Amino acid sequence: MTYGRFAYLYDRLMSDVPYGKWVELIADAKEKYNISGNHLLDLACGTGELSISLAERGFQVTGVDLSEDMLSVAQDKTNKQGQSIFYIEQDMSKLEGLPSFDIIGVFCDSLNYLQTEEEVIETFKGVHRHLDEKGLFIFDVHSLYKMNALFINQTYAVNDEELSLIWQCYPGEYKNSVEHDLTFFELDEESGMYHRYDELHCQRTYSIDQYKTWLKENDFRLVDIIVDFNEKESKENGERIFFLCQKA
């Protein structure tokens, strides 16, 4: 998947995403599980918003993403903010040639963009190869509840004077998958006209038990599950499921 023009509008559309909650969760997990090093691999890093926040928190960050456009935006933002982050264009299900890391993460439901079970499994294998023996693997995914009750057959909209978005969600090709049909309109200030862009994004998720099985089969030890940034929330109606793992 390539994001095209969407990569350059992404941060404006996602300005209300609580990236700070991810940073706090990661920092807390680092302390809880006694991770002494701070080398962190941010898989599917997108425009680098979270990577930059983690770098500002003191992590030495490497960002990987499949989209050249996303990485271009990330590098430009990183330079402007005076941070040092190494970005690599690579498919997270085909990780190779990287050093080992103290923490590896797939954040902001990015794992859900993998469309096959094999891609998820290969991602877990690649993470295992590149994770330090005492390191921590963290990822979050959409829950079955969110995918089927809050996405499928729903329509959302964002509207302001310069940028508008119509976001329609349809059942995907697979069980527990969704197609996000995005249409956005960007104001051209010189002409006063709006340019239309269309994107189709597909996401797929699985049950908690299925993720547990794949992790175990690929030599990970699940140390914690957190729901919606809060361990006290019910797993049945939670929207975002975090898995914290170490090598078995």
Side-chain angles (χ1 to χ4, degrees):
M1 174 188 297
T2 59
Y3 282 82
R5 181 60 185 166
F6 183 67
Y8 299 91
L9 304 176
Y10 183 86
D11 288 335
R12 290 164 61 186
L13 294 169
M14 304 298 170
S15 60
D16 61 342
V17 173
Y19 291 110
K21 289 187 177 182
W22 271 276
V23 174
E24 291 304 318
L25 187 148
I26 296 162
D28 289 346
K30 181 182 186 299
E31 181 177 356
K32 181 177 181 178
Y33 296 103
N34 299 312
I35 308 299
S36 58
N38 63 352
H39 289 85
L40 184 147
L41 176 62
D42 184 7
L43 294 177
C45 64
T47 63
E49 194 70 20
L50 184 56
S51 294
I52 293 169
S53 295
L54 289 165
E56 291 173 342
R57 191 62 177 261
F59 288 94
Q60 295 183 41
V61 182
T62 298
V64 167
D65 202 274
L66 184 61
S67 169
E68 181 181 358
D69 293 314
M70 286 286 194
L71 291 176
S72 177
V73 174
Q75 188 65 70
D76 184 58
K77 287 165 52 180
T78 300
N79 293 342
K80 288 179 179 178
Q81 296 189 36
Q83 294 295 330
S84 178
I85 299 173
F86 185 47
Y87 291 109
I88 303 170
E89 183 180 346
Q90 195 171 124
D91 186 333
M92 65 178 165
S93 67
K94 300 176 182 178
L95 286 181
E96 60 181 0
L98 301 178
S100 62
F101 294 87
D102 303 297
I103 300 175
I104 298 179
V106 189
F107 307 115
C108 305
D109 54 82
S110 295
L111 194 76
N112 292 136
Y113 281 94
L114 299 177
Q115 290 300 292
T116 68
E117 297 181 6
E118 291 74 20
E119 287 177 317
V120 177
I121 293 169
E122 288 302 314
T123 297
F124 287 173
K125 289 180 178 178
V127 168
H128 195 278
R129 289 194 302 270
H130 293 89
L131 186 65
D132 185 80
E133 288 300 323
K134 297 181 180 180
L136 188 64
F137 174 35
I138 308 174
F139 67 93
D140 63 87
V141 293
H142 290 315
S143 66
L144 295 178
Y145 165 75
K146 184 173 186 178
M147 193 69 78
N148 292 295
L150 302 183
F151 276 153
I152 292 179
N153 296 323
Q154 300 297 318
T155 298
Y156 302 93
V158 177
N159 185 38
D160 63 34
E161 293 183 359
E162 296 182 352
L163 182 65
S164 298
L165 166 69
I166 301 173
W167 171 12
Q168 297 176 292
C169 306
Y170 302 105
E173 179 181 354
Y174 307 102
K175 182 180 179 181
N176 302 317
S177 70
V178 62
E179 294 183 355
H180 303 285
D181 188 359
L182 307 174
T183 300
F184 43 101
F185 301 88
E186 182 186 21
L187 176 65
D188 182 336
E189 294 184 355
E190 292 186 5
S191 66
M193 300 179 66
Y194 286 86
H195 295 293
R196 171 175 172 167
Y197 306 95
D198 295 283
E199 294 270 346
L200 179 64
H201 296 179
C202 301
Q203 287 189 305
R204 184 182 184 184
T205 201
Y206 306 90
S207 69
I208 290 176
D209 285 342
Q210 181 63 81
Y211 287 114
K212 285 182 176 180
T213 297
W214 286 333
L215 288 167
K216 184 177 181 180
E217 290 175 346
N218 289 281
D219 298 320
F220 281 104
R221 177 172 58 91
L222 182 63
V223 296
D224 204 359
I225 291 179
I226 298 174
V227 180
D228 292 336
F229 302 99
N230 186 341
E231 294 178 276
K232 297 180 181 180
E233 293 291 334
S234 167
K235 293 181 175 60
E236 283 70 30
N237 59 8
E239 297 181 22
R240 186 178 300 278
I241 313 297
F242 289 85
F243 293 80
L244 285 72
C245 321
Q246 293 183 301
K247 286 188 175 181

